[in-house]
Amino acid sequence: MSRRLFSPIVLFLVLAFLIGPFIIIVAASLSAGETLAFPPQGLSLRWVAKVFTVDSFRASFAMSMFLAIGGTIFALMLGIPAAYALSRYKLPFAETIRTIVSSPIIVPGIIVGLAILRYLVVPFAFSITIALFFAHTALVLPYAVRVVSASLNNLRSDIEEAAVLLGSSRIGAFFRVVLPNIRGGVLAAFILGFVTSFNQVPVSLFLSGPGIQTMPIDMLGYMETTYDPSVAALSSLLAFLSIGIVFLAERFLGFSRYV
């Protein structure tokens, strides 16, 4: 087999491996049968329509969106100054600080969830919503610091210094010069944080409570009692939502030009 023929075959197999499960889920969500099955038993959109009629799905989707958007924004508010300090100043124990900030990625999520439940929720009687918000912020913070730090390292510091020499304050130079030049990194950090928070299972599993659940936890609970294709339909809608977010970021913000 020639190399010219071998490469397209390998590419096709890789694409099939990556896209195959998504195609199966979409096909199963369009099934006209009463149970989740592939190949689908006919074609119908009734399970897609049913997703919007389930009260728990609507409530958990709103909670997941609140945690993903709010937690990511709060993590960026903390992570951007931290990344700036680590990139622009020679701080003592800088590597130790980076390791501590990255610990939510290194430590398994189930341990993070158990630790927050044991040492934050139980002793201080925090509400479930506040505990989930802090947990998701902690999980997203490493992405904010790492990605923004990479953008700052690629931005020449003398550009900022030139703005200061021309009369701008240090804070003014940051907002007028630095922040516009690293917006691609900030956007990338937001997208990574949003997807990570929205799809988080181990931490949310420990901190969910009666009437307050995130979308992935609600889907797991729904599958324990019901085996219809509505979960496949919901999974397909969430996948298309993620694709739409990336497409809009590329279309209107020029994502590929900055990262």
Side-chain angles (χ1 to χ4, degrees):
M1 182 181 298
S2 65
R3 182 178 301 178
R4 183 174 299 179
L5 180 62
F6 179 75
S7 297
I9 292 176
V10 173
L11 176 61
F12 175 78
L13 292 175
V14 171
L15 291 176
F17 177 77
L18 294 175
I19 304 176
F22 175 69
I23 296 176
I24 292 175
I25 292 297
V26 172
S29 67
L30 299 176
S31 175
E34 298 295 328
T35 59
L36 185 63
F38 183 83
Q41 303 168 1
L43 296 177
S44 174
L45 291 175
R46 65 174 180 140
W47 300 112
V48 177
K50 182 183 177 181
V51 168
F52 298 95
T53 64
V54 179
D55 294 335
S56 64
F57 285 166
R58 293 200 298 267
S60 60
F61 178 78
M63 175 58 67
S64 290
M65 289 295 290
F66 165 73
L67 294 173
I69 296 176
T72 302
I73 292 176
F74 190 59
L76 286 172
M77 293 173 62
L78 298 175
I80 293 175
Y84 182 83
L86 291 170
S87 300
R88 290 292 186 263
Y89 301 104
K90 295 182 179 179
L91 301 177
F93 308 107
E95 290 302 322
T96 303
I97 295 173
R98 288 191 179 93
T99 303
I100 294 175
V101 172
S102 302
S103 60
I105 298 178
I106 301 172
V107 178
I110 193 170
I111 297 178
V112 175
L114 179 60
I116 294 176
L117 176 65
R118 173 63 180 84
Y119 297 104
L120 188 63
V121 177
V122 175
F124 300 102
F126 278 14
S127 68
I128 295 174
T129 302
I130 294 177
L132 280 170
F133 184 84
F134 282 131
H136 281 242
T137 300
L139 291 171
V140 173
L141 185 59
Y143 297 98
V145 174
R146 290 277 183 174
V147 177
V148 175
S149 294
S151 295
L152 286 169
N153 290 334
N154 291 327
L155 178 65
R156 293 170 53 185
S157 59
D158 55 359
I159 298 177
E160 180 184 358
E161 296 300 329
V164 174
L165 291 175
L166 290 173
S168 176
S169 64
R170 184 66 65 176
I171 296 178
F174 175 80
F175 284 102
R176 295 175 184 175
V177 178
V178 176
L179 197 57
N181 281 281
I182 63 169
R183 58 180 175 177
V186 174
L187 175 60
F190 180 85
I191 293 176
L192 287 172
F194 178 88
V195 173
T196 300
S197 174
F198 195 93
N199 296 315
Q200 180 57 228
V201 174
V203 173
S204 301
L205 187 63
F206 274 96
L207 301 177
S208 297
I212 301 178
Q213 292 181 334
T214 61
M215 177 64 77
I217 304 304
D218 191 24
M219 293 172 66
L220 287 174
Y222 186 87
M223 290 184 63
E224 291 179 353
T225 58
T226 309
Y227 200 64
D228 60 38
S230 57
V231 171
L234 180 56
S235 300
S236 301
L237 292 174
L238 294 177
F240 284 120
L241 174 63
S242 300
I243 295 173
I245 291 173
V246 175
F247 174 79
L248 291 175
E250 166 63 26
R251 177 65 179 81
F252 295 105
L253 299 177
F255 179 71
S256 62
R257 292 180 298 174
Y258 302 101
V259 295

